[in-house]
Amino acid sequence: MCGICGVVGHRPATPIVFEGLRRLEYRGYDSAGIATLDAQQRITRCRASGKLDNLAEALKETPLTGTTAIGHTRWATHGAPTTNNAHPHKAGKVAIVHNGIIENYAELRQKLQKNGREFKTETDSETVAHLLDEELKRGLSPKDAAYATIRQLEGAYAVAMIFEDHEGLLIGARHGAPLAIGFGEGEMFLGSDSLALAPLSQRITYLDDGDWCVLHADSVTIYDATGSEVQRPVQTVALTAGQIGKDGYRHFMEKELHEHPVAIGQTLQRMMDPVTRRITLPDMPFDPADLPRATITACGSAFYAGMVGRYWLESLARLPVDIDVASELRYRNPPQPNQGMALLISQSGETADTLGVLRALKAENQRIVSILNVEQSTMGRESDLVLGMVAGPEISVASTKAFTAQLSVLAALTITFARKRGTLDEAQEQKLTQSLLDLPSHAATVLGLFDAIRKMARIIAQARDVLYLGRGICMPIAQEGALKLKEISYIHAEAYAAGELKHGPISLIDPSVPVVAIAPSTILFEKMLSNLQEAKARGGLILAFTDAQGAKRLEGIADHMVVLPDVDAFVAPILYTIPVQILAYEVALLKGTDVDQPRNLAKSVTVE
Ligand code: F6R
């Protein structure tokens, strides 16, 4: 959600920042811009609405020189996505880029306007530029002005600032939105995440919340919120070109769909004792046998993964679970058991809603266990225990492989809890573990079904509305399918528990509203069959994902079927995720939408 990149060094800075923005574009693509200090140490800017390609064109008209630069790719919150509202914002002798929301901007703006400051944009971010320039005008040094400025800000921010007449100086600050420093040879970088910094530097320091930093080409000084100098660890991040590129695929989403087997396999491998071949998770900050209850929270797809986790934990580990989307749980204020467990799920580890719940629950003495793809993220640093998935960078805005990796961790967690709570005997445990170990190869088989799924996609692409049906543990997979379709093809889709159809939504059924059923023969199949027959009797067009046995029973009911390998009911939700995501991808291709960067969206949503 908004990407920031900055450099201070000895080489022309614009191409470096531009390429950094390319790697950050998944965080927002409403507009983009770069500001540099030119040979006279004056700020020059180039900005463009829309995607980075527009900025590339604009840069041909307005080339920027200089070795100190900041850049930004925007997901609009305050102010329309116009060139005028694009970052960097300039006021007097400073330029800034900002990710987040300045919650007290209206009040600050009014104060600044009373002092004669003229605002040129509708953004909250411009306030930061004016405040900074105002502090400079009061005679403060850039460093002191930066500190004085951030102390006045409320809300969430990651900011990068450059100053006229101060070539070779770049200042960054973060509170509630991520920012990292990359160490180069005679140059330093700022970036919203390690992806931006990856080809530039393998040595990265993540700023803690409240930190701010002063970068010169050959030095870095970090301060905390009290203004005291602090040391933060330098981590080695080795992302390969293959991990951050498309690797020959047309879209990141296509590449990431093909990475399901590896993401599942690597994630499970990490949680498995190689000698006993038993699932073994790191020591918990509590004894799972003593837990009275657990809370699960997340947003979007990660929330649906949590819903599957609830089914598993309740049915197999007999652990009662309270689950809600983070933006609701945050303000619902349910009573929590003393020293209970809160399980948070997030690909990015930066989602503001989920992070807000983490902090609220921590304040209520809950032990925080997070399932994360980016383990060095803010959530990772603030959790009591991180269960890392090994999905690799996920760049397409719509989540794919992170979802099956999240489910793999949740399955492993369930087996561990069930063993410790005495609800699973050894034979059952072995059976479940084996079904997990077989999954990567079944997932690879499903990747061979693109052609069959494309036939279904042709029907869906004609529709205005689509219903997804699932039952039990496959209900969240129906929800994931509907979300993915909405997100990237812009076709309206809703997911219903199939048994709920007759309580209302069945009135929507006619031949123009395809019904997509997630129907493995192992999970409440007879009930699902009856529900599909009810839909069929009313002229519904039934498209089913099932297995060989299910396919026999669905003959004459389903108009189209995609037949998946037979798997144990335990892992069916993981396997059935893959074809519903492929379906959305294929529909999006037919509709010609922007698959990796769907309209209005951004990855890593760092605002509430
Ligand atoms: C859907 C999608 C989003 C994310 C949600 C949570 O395809 O990508 O719904 O799942 O924004 O993001 P994380 O997992 O980063 O917290």
Side-chain angles (χ1 to χ4, degrees):
M1 170 133 305
C2 295
I4 289 178
C5 189
V7 59
V8 56
H10 50 84
R11 295 184 281 163
T14 306
I16 301 174
V17 168
F18 186 84
E19 285 311 312
L21 294 182
R22 269 255 180 265
R23 292 185 293 276
L24 287 171
E25 200 178 11
Y26 72 97
R27 299 177 71 95
Y29 29 86
D30 286 333
S31 64
I34 296 178
T36 62
L37 287 181
D38 67 12
Q40 287 71 46
Q41 302 199 40
R42 296 279 156 267
I43 288 167
T44 50
R45 281 189 298 173
C46 181
R47 301 175 297 159
S49 63
K51 293 194 162 201
L52 263 178
D53 289 341
N54 298 351
L55 179 64
E57 285 305 310
L59 279 167
K60 286 183 195 156
E61 301 286 312
T62 320
L64 300 178
T65 57
T67 56
T68 302
I70 51 176
H72 187 266
T73 166
R74 179 172 187 238
W75 186 79
T77 59
H78 294 60
T82 57
T83 302
N84 187 51
N85 285 333
H87 299 221
H89 295 295
K90 183 175 180 304
K93 291 187 158 226
V94 304
I96 67 102
V97 288
H98 165 231
N99 166 23
I101 292 180
I102 306 299
E103 285 171 2
N104 58 338
Y105 85 97
E107 178 190 323
L108 291 170
R109 190 172 167 127
Q110 243 178 23
K111 220 162 77 184
L112 286 158
Q113 279 168 330
K114 270 195 198 138
N115 287 352
R117 292 257 159 196
E118 236 180 80
F119 280 75
K120 299 198 174 67
T121 77
E122 300 155 327
T123 66
D124 53 332
S125 312
E126 192 187 353
T127 319
V128 182
H130 282 289
L131 277 177
L132 188 60
D133 191 54
E134 191 81 357
E135 296 298 344
L136 280 182
K137 286 230 163 89
R138 286 204 305 126
L140 296 186
S141 67
K143 178 189 147 205
D144 292 341
Y147 186 43
T149 298
I150 57 178
R151 287 173 56 149
Q152 298 174 61
L153 304 179
E154 286 168 21
Y157 57 82
V159 238
M161 320 163 182
I162 57 173
F163 304 80
E164 279 192 354
D165 304 321
H166 291 272
E167 199 187 16
L169 173 67
L170 174 61
I171 297 185
R174 72 153 288 185
H175 182 266
L179 195 63
I181 301 167
F183 294 78
E185 296 299 324
E187 52 190 356
M188 298 291 168
F189 311 99
L190 274 180
S192 293
D193 61 29
S194 57
L195 282 179
L197 301 173
L200 301 169
S201 166
Q202 296 200 333
R203 291 187 307 129
I204 287 175
T205 288
Y206 293 90
L207 293 181
D208 274 2
D209 237 16
D211 283 357
W212 53 288
C213 60
V214 178
L215 309 190
H216 295 280
D218 53 2
S219 71
V220 171
T221 318
I222 305 176
Y223 303 90
D224 68 11
T226 68
S228 310
E229 198 175 322
V230 286
Q231 302 296 325
R232 301 288 179 220
V234 180
Q235 304 183 11
T236 306
V237 178
L239 290 169
T240 62
Q243 280 178 304
I244 57 177
K246 285 191 198 149
D247 220 10
Y249 289 98
R250 285 166 296 176
H251 300 102
F252 281 109
M253 185 172 181
E254 186 185 27
K255 175 187 174 218
E256 288 159 10
L257 284 166
H258 281 87
E259 288 172 341
H260 274 298
V262 175
I264 298 167
Q266 286 183 346
T267 300
L268 290 172
Q269 204 175 15
R270 185 170 185 191
M271 294 178 294
M272 177 140 303
D273 182 322
V275 180
T276 60
R277 289 183 64 76
R278 276 185 118 186
I279 297 280
T280 316
L281 294 180
D283 284 343
M284 304 274 158
F286 48 80
D287 183 351
D290 295 340
L291 281 180
R293 194 173 74 114
T295 300
I296 299 182
T297 194
C299 304
S301 286
F303 172 72
Y304 300 139
M307 293 276 285
V308 175
R310 178 182 76 171
Y311 274 95
W312 279 331
L313 286 168
E314 289 188 339
S315 61
L316 293 167
R318 307 306 298 151
L319 176 65
V321 172
D322 177 25
I323 181 161
D324 205 347
V325 290
S327 53
E328 286 299 312
L329 184 65
R330 174 76 181 84
Y331 300 102
R332 221 181 73 204
N333 197 18
Q336 299 296 342
N338 188 31
Q339 304 240 306
M341 175 187 86
L343 186 58
L344 279 71
I345 307 166
S346 174
Q347 188 283 127
S348 62
E350 300 291 350
T351 302
D353 291 319
T354 314
L355 186 59
V357 175
L358 185 157
R359 289 174 178 159
L361 290 179
K362 215 168 171 182
E364 287 198 49
N365 221 4
Q366 301 302 292
R367 271 82 47 96
I368 310 291
V369 178
S370 294
I371 297 177
L372 304 175
N373 196 27
V374 186
E375 291 177 50
Q376 312 84 349
S377 56
T378 311
M379 280 183 221
R381 292 201 299 278
E382 297 188 18
S383 297
D384 295 306
L385 175 69
V386 174
L387 299 176
M389 35 175 144
V390 194
E394 193 183 68
I395 294 166
S396 180
V397 164
S399 188
T400 52
K401 59 176 177 167
F403 186 82
T404 51
Q406 285 158 357
L407 291 181
S408 303
V409 178
L410 285 160
L413 184 80
T414 302
I415 291 176
T416 309
F417 273 29
R419 184 197 306 145
K420 298 205 166 164
R421 292 168 71 85
T423 56
L424 205 63
D425 64 30
E426 214 177 308
Q428 286 170 313
E429 182 183 335
Q430 269 177 13
K431 181 170 160 279
L432 298 186
T433 304
Q434 192 55 51
S435 69
L436 280 173
L437 293 178
D438 292 340
L439 249 182
S441 108
H442 290 312
T445 307
V446 172
L447 293 178
L449 298 174
F450 265 83
D451 287 348
I453 297 170
R454 194 167 302 127
K455 288 189 187 135
M456 247 188 207
R458 290 197 187 106
I459 298 169
I460 304 264
Q462 308 299 320
R464 221 187 59 183
D465 305 287
V466 182
L467 280 181
Y468 281 71
L469 299 181
R471 284 199 78 127
I473 202 163
C474 281
M475 172 56 193
I477 307 309
Q479 290 172 300
E480 164 66 3
L483 173 64
K484 216 102 298 178
L485 188 74
K486 281 186 271 212
E487 224 178 349
I488 62 169
S489 76
Y490 316 146
I491 294 176
H492 174 239
E494 291 304 328
Y496 276 96
E500 191 64 11
L501 200 62
K502 57 190 177 293
H503 297 292
I506 201 163
S507 65
L508 292 173
I509 302 254
D510 72 32
S512 70
V513 183
V515 175
V516 179
I518 318 301
S521 68
T522 44
I523 296 167
L524 295 168
F525 186 73
E526 296 303 326
K527 308 266 179 221
M528 175 61 112
L529 207 58
S530 308
N531 301 143
L532 292 179
Q533 261 158 342
E534 289 152 16
K536 182 80 185 165
R538 284 151 183 89
L541 184 73
I542 313 290
L543 315 176
F545 292 106
T546 186
D547 48 30
Q549 214 178 324
K552 279 191 210 140
R553 304 287 309 281
L554 282 161
E555 207 67 62
I557 299 173
D559 296 273
H560 285 269
M561 283 187 268
V562 171
V563 182
L564 276 66
D566 293 333
V567 288
D568 192 284
F570 179 53
V571 296
I574 311 183
L575 193 73
Y576 279 67
T577 297
I578 302 171
V580 298
Q581 292 179 344
I582 295 175
L583 179 63
Y585 175 71
E586 288 293 333
V587 176
L589 287 185
L590 290 166
K591 300 286 279 185
T593 56
D594 192 339
V595 175
D596 282 335
Q597 296 175 343
R599 68 184 181 205
N600 304 339
L601 291 172
K603 207 163 179 77
S604 191
V605 186
T606 51
V607 295
E608 273 196 64

